Amino acid sequence: MSTLVIVESPTKARTIRNYLPAGYRVEASMGHVRDLPQSASEIPAAVKGETWAQLGVNVDADFEPVYVVPKDKKKIVTQLKEALKDVDELILATDEDREGESISWHLYQLLKPKVPTKRMVFHEITQEAIKKALKDCRQIDEQLVRAQETRRILDRLVGYTLSPLLWKKIAWGLSAGRVQSVAVRVLVTRERQRRAFHEGTYWDLKASLSKEKTPFASQLVTLAGTKIANGSDFDATTGQITAGRNVLLLNEDQAVALKERLTGKTWSVSDMEERPVTRKPAPPFTTSTLQQESNRKLRLSARDTMRVAQNLYEQGYITYMRTDSVHLSDQAIAAARSCVEKLYGQQYLSPQPRQYTTKSKGAQEAHEAIRPAGSSFRTPQETALGGRELAVYDLIWKRTVACQMADSRQTQITVQLQVEDAGFRSSGKRIEFPGYLRAYVEGSDDPEAALEDQEVILPNLKVGDHPNCTELEAVGHETQPPARYTEATLVKTLESEGIGRPSTYASIIGTIIDKGYAHLVSNALIPTFTAFAVTDLLEKHFPDIVDPSFTSKMEQTLDDIATGEAKWLPYLQQFYLGEKGLETLVRERESQIDATKARTVELENLDAKVRIGKYGPYIEVVNGEGVITASIPKDLTPADLDPKQVEVLLRQKITGPDQVGRHPETGEPIYVKIGAYGPYVQLGDKTDENPKPKQASLLKGVTPETVTLEMAVGLLALPRTLGVHPVTGGKIQASLGRFGPYVVHDQGKEGKDYRSLKAADNVLTITPERALELLAEPKKGRSSTNSKSKAALRELGTHPEDGEAINIYDGPYGPYIKHGKTNVSIPEGQTVENITLAEALNLLAAKASTGKSTRKTSKSTSSKSKSTAKSSTTAAKKKATET
């Protein structure tokens, strides 16, 4: 008996193939094989004339979806149909969540198998799990499919109904989405809070003390029995002390006078408190917490985290990575406890096995938390992983093992000190037993180093002691605006509010950035002026769409549909076609929305208008000379646009750019200007004879006001030639690029070798010796998932011509052969195990010759590309993001 097993990806197929008996053939569907139309060209001719055709959902016939096979999936479907002809049984083994169930259902509908068909599910790819799954096959869960289909239709209705409205009223290419728009509003609300924020200033005293040669610090907390004001006592909207707070606000003069009065006086310990504290380990990872911790520790985006986790799952290293559950199987608990006992000792093992339960009602995506796969956990060192894959696996392994470790026992110490009428406080922490902290500390890469950071050692003090004050200083503080969201904190907020599902957060945040609603700067998500305009429009005219509580209730209803507690059709009818349904609202409001107002962002305390234009945001003011506009630089955030910034931008337009002087050699004027990409210097005027005068961006941290003539001349002289490399004789230069200042070594045929400058280096003054030091450092790759940093699946040998290695690696589209910079896929029918060096050489030679001929004919195909560009653009205009 022969059986066809269908999974989503080639990697998953290869891994599963190892655990199936003879007679089983495993093929990949490459994800979804059928979906709603993504462009006008995909809409079937039979329905093209219907009013609902662009939606891809017949809202007049019980919201019947129109499913099509995308062009790039037709070949795959044909291959799967051919494979099905030669087997006696079909097993659909896609992922165990709602989306996986939906893929299996679509495969069944398309392939129309005439042989017995089963649905196989598993949450890890190990021999034991696959054998068990084969025995426990079931039928497709129609209820789960219906829930996913409802979710898909709902997202389509929101995206394809609201997005065209945004195109008409604000700007082409924008999108709205059921979850996406709420997430954007969350970012915009925080930026509004930052605009409304008023800084408060306060002063206090900091003392450096010692007892028996052990130093410790202490902070002023009271004066004459009254609490000293700190940051938490200020109202962020006024910059003043919050009404009703009985605190003493010190200014600089008062703090300095107090310091002088207390200097040389006797210090006494007035009170001491030691309080034992027990800390328990965090539960194992869910999709959301993995994304958060990966962003904090590894600086990986949610999208990259999920991509890496998907690879780890498909290779059999971890359990399924889309899950809301913190539950661990008995097998996993036993494996984790075995690791603890073996690596850390019995004393670090929790007395009883720890089992975690998920509080969220919607936690139904998978049976277990994310953990290392198998009945015994491979340590990170025992895997063949590298780069990002190793880092993420290490994170998952540590978190899972730590959850079965003993509690951490600590002692919190508070010491109250008195000097005249001033009260000071010192706080310390002593770790009595590290427990799980020995293996895992949230937000820290190195548990050992984190343990040291967590301890604050105080000397052996008792009431009545008189420590020695070695230094007393007055310290000024400014209150800080609310922090912008990072990917980690946004994911945490969305989950706590019940907005969307964690499995979709990665794609949602990716869409927000791709669509220009936010910029990711130093791990912070900064909303753009376009995000403000879109949020303003939706808040005024479609408040429910961006209301977190409304979206959360919608999410709950979708979960209820999955369990049969709610009916899908009445819900869709009410949401879209009801008296206050989305279709009705859009039809009513479209004529009421003024496009000029929709493109205008109203900001508090700003007379100038901010508008969204074809080429980005700009400011507009009206004076005696008429309307004046100026582009807003891309790095100027909504929270930072104030009247002073507006004045600088407009002055350049009204009076012309500031001149810092004339070039000492050419005599040409040098201007400081502000453009869409920030401030820069320009040599000479733009004329017909000189249409592109030389320009150079300012260095990081340099403002237009602080530019000197010497600095401007130096910037315009870039790149600077520093000399030649002592080994190769190649030229070494320093310059300024897209990612900041750098040095480059021209190695001739070998290419160019770049290194970024460190914070202490200056591109205008860096020496040849320093450049050589930087070039001697190992180069840091932008991606650690390339073939150089990960282990080869198989090493075939060396090339007879150049002696370079020929290896087989695992790539996103399956295994491939690599030699130098040439990659070639393994042909269909061949496997990693049976391909020979001779066959690899033939494939590489064929690829090389094809590459040469392709380059020669690239010009002849350009006209064809141009002719299809117009139709592609037309198709793109029909597409809207739906998440």
Side-chain angles (χ1 to χ4, degrees):
M1 181 176 175
S2 58
T3 302
L4 174 63
V5 179
I6 301 179
V7 296
E8 296 96 327
S9 76
T11 305
K12 189 175 177 182
R14 283 194 302 278
T15 310
I16 288 176
R17 200 175 285 130
N18 296 328
Y19 305 128
L20 291 173
Y24 282 78
R25 177 179 174 181
V26 188
E27 296 293 342
S29 70
M30 306 302 289
H32 285 275
V33 290
R34 200 170 70 155
D35 198 2
L36 300 172
Q38 295 297 310
S39 65
S41 63
E42 288 188 352
I43 298 172
V47 299
K48 237 179 174 50
E50 302 291 343
T51 55
W52 47 265
Q54 287 188 12
L55 278 177
V57 177
N58 189 347
V59 295
D60 301 322
D62 293 344
F63 292 87
E64 182 183 351
V66 175
Y67 290 119
V68 297
V69 178
K71 189 176 180 181
D72 61 336
K73 292 298 175 73
K74 288 182 178 178
K75 183 179 178 182
I76 293 167
V77 172
T78 301
Q79 290 171 347
L80 292 176
K81 285 181 176 179
E82 286 297 317
L84 190 58
K85 291 178 181 178
D86 302 325
V87 299
D88 306 307
E89 182 184 48
L90 172 64
I91 293 181
L92 300 169
T94 53
D95 292 340
E96 63 174 337
D97 60 4
R98 292 172 180 149
E99 193 162 352
E101 203 73 20
S102 178
I103 292 173
S104 280
W105 180 78
H106 280 291
L107 282 167
Y108 185 80
Q109 297 295 317
L110 268 177
L111 299 178
K112 297 182 173 57
K114 296 177 181 177
V115 296
T117 304
K118 300 175 183 176
R119 173 85 170 100
M120 182 171 83
V121 293
F122 40 86
H123 69 278
E124 61 181 347
I125 306 177
T126 62
Q127 187 164 12
E128 186 179 351
I130 298 302
K131 282 184 177 179
K132 185 176 185 302
L134 271 176
K135 292 178 182 177
D136 300 333
C137 287
R138 58 170 173 80
Q139 296 302 306
I140 292 172
D141 188 331
E142 295 283 346
Q143 201 161 272
L144 211 56
V145 172
R146 177 58 72 186
Q148 177 63 22
E149 195 173 33
T150 305
R151 186 180 294 267
R152 182 77 181 94
I153 291 170
L154 190 63
D155 286 342
R156 171 59 69 105
L157 295 176
V158 173
Y160 273 48
T161 303
L162 285 177
S163 297
L165 183 66
L166 298 181
W167 304 343
K168 294 175 187 174
K169 303 298 182 180
I170 299 178
W172 161 247
L174 297 178
S175 68
R178 180 176 63 88
V179 179
Q180 171 198 309
S181 296
V182 184
V184 171
R185 188 194 187 192
V186 169
L187 299 180
V188 168
T189 300
R190 179 59 55 86
E191 197 74 2
R192 287 171 177 163
Q193 291 169 350
R194 289 176 66 90
R195 275 198 66 82
F197 172 78
H198 283 75
E199 183 183 274
T201 303
Y202 61 98
W203 285 75
D204 58 20
L205 300 185
K206 181 181 178 183
S208 297
L209 306 168
S210 68
K211 170 78 187 307
E212 297 173 352
K213 297 184 179 180
T214 303
F216 65 103
S218 199
Q219 196 87 18
L220 176 69
V221 290
T222 62
L223 186 62
T226 303
K227 179 180 176 291
I228 297 295
N230 60 33
S232 64
D233 296 311
F234 284 82
D235 184 332
T237 60
T238 64
Q240 304 297 316
I241 296 294
T242 304
R245 296 281 175 93
N246 182 27
V247 293
L248 177 63
L249 178 62
L250 294 181
N251 60 31
E252 183 177 6
D253 292 340
Q254 291 169 325
V256 171
L258 180 61
K259 168 199 165 185
E260 292 173 353
R261 177 163 71 84
L262 299 179
T263 298
K265 298 300 190 291
T266 302
W267 290 67
S268 300
V269 176
S270 58
D271 190 26
M272 271 200 68
E273 180 189 9
E274 291 197 1
R275 184 168 56 92
V277 175
T278 300
R279 288 181 59 188
K280 297 182 181 299
F285 282 130
T286 61
T287 301
S288 166
T289 54
L290 176 61
Q291 290 174 4
Q292 292 173 49
E293 191 72 341
S294 177
N295 184 248
R296 280 195 296 261
K297 280 191 174 181
L298 308 178
R299 286 294 186 264
L300 288 181
S301 67
R303 191 151 48 178
D304 284 344
T305 297
M306 294 309 292
R307 193 176 290 135
V308 173
Q310 178 89 35
N311 289 340
L312 290 173
Y313 164 67
E314 292 181 349
Q315 293 175 73
Y317 284 105
I318 65 170
T319 53
Y320 191 53
M321 67 291 151
R322 292 189 180 93
T323 174
D324 293 341
S325 173
V326 293
H327 174 75
L328 286 177
S329 66
D330 292 342
Q331 179 194 66
I333 291 173
R337 293 179 71 81
S338 173
C339 282
V340 174
E341 199 164 5
K342 180 180 176 182
L343 297 173
Y344 301 102
Q346 179 73 32
Q347 73 273 27
Y348 280 93
L349 195 61
S350 65
Q352 299 296 327
R354 296 184 192 271
Q355 185 54 274
Y356 297 85
T357 55
T358 307
K359 296 177 183 177
S360 168
K361 182 184 175 184
Q364 53 190 10
E365 293 292 349
H367 303 302
E368 271 200 88
I370 304 170
R371 63 167 176 85
S375 56
S376 61
F377 296 165
R378 284 172 283 187
T379 65
Q381 295 74 25
E382 291 171 338
T383 68
L385 297 170
R388 289 178 172 183
E389 289 185 345
L390 177 61
V392 173
Y393 180 80
D394 181 68
L395 206 59
I396 294 167
W397 184 89
K398 284 178 177 173
R399 178 91 163 211
T400 310
V401 169
C403 83
Q404 294 303 315
M405 293 178 74
D407 295 342
S408 170
R409 299 194 301 275
Q410 306 169 9
T411 299
Q412 300 279 3
I413 307 159
T414 305
V415 180
Q416 305 290 349
L417 300 108
Q418 198 72 26
V419 50
E420 292 202 336
D421 59 346
F424 283 73
R425 179 187 298 142
S426 298
S427 299
K429 186 191 324 186
R430 190 169 62 243
I431 297 178
E432 310 294 350
F433 176 66
Y436 73 91
L437 295 176
R438 180 62 66 201
Y440 183 84
V441 183
E442 274 193 286
S444 172
D445 293 328
D446 184 355
E448 292 295 336
L451 284 176
E452 294 175 13
D453 293 342
Q454 288 197 0
E455 278 203 309
V456 180
I457 304 299
L458 294 178
N460 188 18
L461 295 166
K462 59 182 184 295
V463 175
D465 281 351
H466 301 293
N468 179 42
C469 179
T470 58
E471 185 182 4
L472 188 62
E473 61 176 325
V475 183
H477 307 271
E478 291 81 36
T479 55
Q480 298 299 312
R484 289 187 173 104
Y485 285 97
T486 63
E487 289 202 31
T489 54
L490 180 59
V491 164
K492 186 175 183 180
T493 299
L494 293 176
E495 185 181 38
S496 65
E497 295 280 348
I499 299 166
R501 277 286 162 261
S503 58
T504 66
Y505 292 160
S507 62
I508 288 164
I509 293 173
T511 300
I512 288 171
I513 295 170
D514 294 344
K515 289 290 180 181
Y517 288 132
H519 297 310
L520 187 61
V521 181
S522 299
N523 210 38
L525 288 163
I526 304 176
T528 60
F529 291 98
T530 302
F532 270 67
V534 169
T535 299
D536 285 345
L537 184 149
L538 295 177
E539 283 177 335
K540 289 173 186 174
H541 299 281
F542 308 97
D544 282 349
I545 292 296
V546 287
D547 181 354
S549 61
F550 179 84
T551 308
S552 178
K553 288 176 186 173
M554 186 187 298
E555 202 66 54
Q556 186 59 60
T557 303
L558 290 168
D559 286 341
D560 290 342
I561 290 169
T563 59
E565 297 174 48
K567 301 295 184 185
W568 69 276
L569 185 56
Y571 179 71
L572 285 180
Q573 288 172 331
Q574 181 184 6
F575 173 81
Y576 193 71
L577 299 175
E579 188 178 337
K580 295 183 179 180
L582 183 61
E583 184 192 44
T584 308
L585 278 175
V586 170
R587 191 170 56 247
E588 290 175 355
R589 297 298 173 92
E590 184 171 349
S591 59
Q592 299 172 17
I593 300 172
D594 180 87
T596 303
K597 287 183 178 179
R599 287 194 289 269
T600 304
V601 179
E602 296 180 5
L603 298 174
E604 295 176 359
N605 307 318
L606 202 68
D607 293 332
K609 293 177 180 177
V610 175
R611 298 198 193 276
I612 308 301
K614 185 177 180 181
Y615 302 105
Y618 62 93
I619 54 174
E620 177 183 293
V621 295
V622 179
N623 66 7
E625 299 177 9
V627 177
I628 302 172
T629 63
S631 295
I632 298 175
K634 292 188 184 301
D635 60 352
L636 183 56
T637 69
D640 297 329
L641 183 63
D642 56 23
K644 185 180 177 183
Q645 293 277 4
V646 170
E647 183 185 347
V648 171
L649 293 171
L650 291 175
R651 190 174 69 243
Q652 177 177 298
K653 275 300 194 76
I654 297 170
T655 63
D658 293 334
Q659 184 176 321
V660 294
R662 290 186 173 272
H663 197 284
E665 295 176 9
T666 68
E668 293 175 281
I670 299 178
Y671 302 107
V672 179
K673 306 180 80 172
I674 300 174
Y677 296 94
Y680 63 95
V681 291
Q682 177 178 303
L683 178 62
D685 295 298
K686 186 176 181 180
T687 63
D688 291 341
E689 294 76 26
N690 186 26
K692 291 184 178 180
K694 187 162 188 181
Q695 299 171 344
S697 297
L698 300 190
L699 296 172
K700 188 177 181 181
V702 176
T703 62
E705 296 78 20
T706 58
V707 176
T708 64
L709 178 59
E710 183 184 7
M711 184 190 300
V713 171
L715 289 170
L716 290 165
L718 294 176
R720 289 174 58 219
T721 298
L722 304 178
V724 295
H725 198 282
V727 176
T728 67
K731 187 165 58 176
I732 297 175
Q733 291 183 312
S735 193
L736 194 60
R738 181 182 171 192
F739 301 105
Y742 63 89
V743 289
V744 57
H745 169 210
D746 189 342
Q747 303 174 104
K749 291 182 179 180
E750 296 295 319
K752 293 183 178 181
D753 190 22
Y754 294 85
R755 293 293 184 282
S756 294
L757 268 58
K758 301 291 194 315
D761 296 316
N762 187 324
V763 69
L764 302 180
T765 59
I766 188 170
T767 64
E769 293 76 21
R770 175 58 180 155
L772 287 171
E773 285 179 19
L774 291 170
L775 290 165
E777 293 179 1
K779 191 167 187 177
K780 295 179 180 178
R782 291 182 66 196
S783 170
S784 53
T785 56
N786 58 41
S787 58
K788 291 182 181 178
S789 62
K790 67 178 181 180
L793 295 176
R794 188 171 163 224
E795 296 178 0
L796 296 176
T798 57
H799 199 288
E801 293 179 10
D802 57 20
E804 282 196 44
I806 299 177
N807 296 333
I808 300 178
Y809 292 96
D810 187 16
Y813 305 106
Y816 64 93
I817 301 162
K818 182 175 182 65
H819 166 242
K821 294 182 179 180
T822 305
N823 298 341
V824 58
S825 298
I826 291 180
E828 191 175 348
Q830 291 275 39
T831 66
V832 174
E833 295 75 22
N834 66 18
I835 198 159
T836 65
L837 176 60
E839 288 169 331
L841 288 168
N842 289 335
L843 290 167
L844 289 164
K847 175 68 178 287
S849 62
T850 305
K852 288 173 186 173
S853 63
T854 301
R855 283 191 292 273
K856 286 177 183 175
T857 57
S858 61
K859 282 188 178 180
S860 65
T861 59
S862 63
S863 58
K864 183 180 178 182
S865 300
K866 287 177 183 176
S867 68
T868 57
K870 188 174 180 180
S871 60
S872 299
T873 304
T874 305
K877 288 183 179 180
K878 300 297 183 183
K879 184 177 178 181
T881 301
E882 307 159 35
T883 336

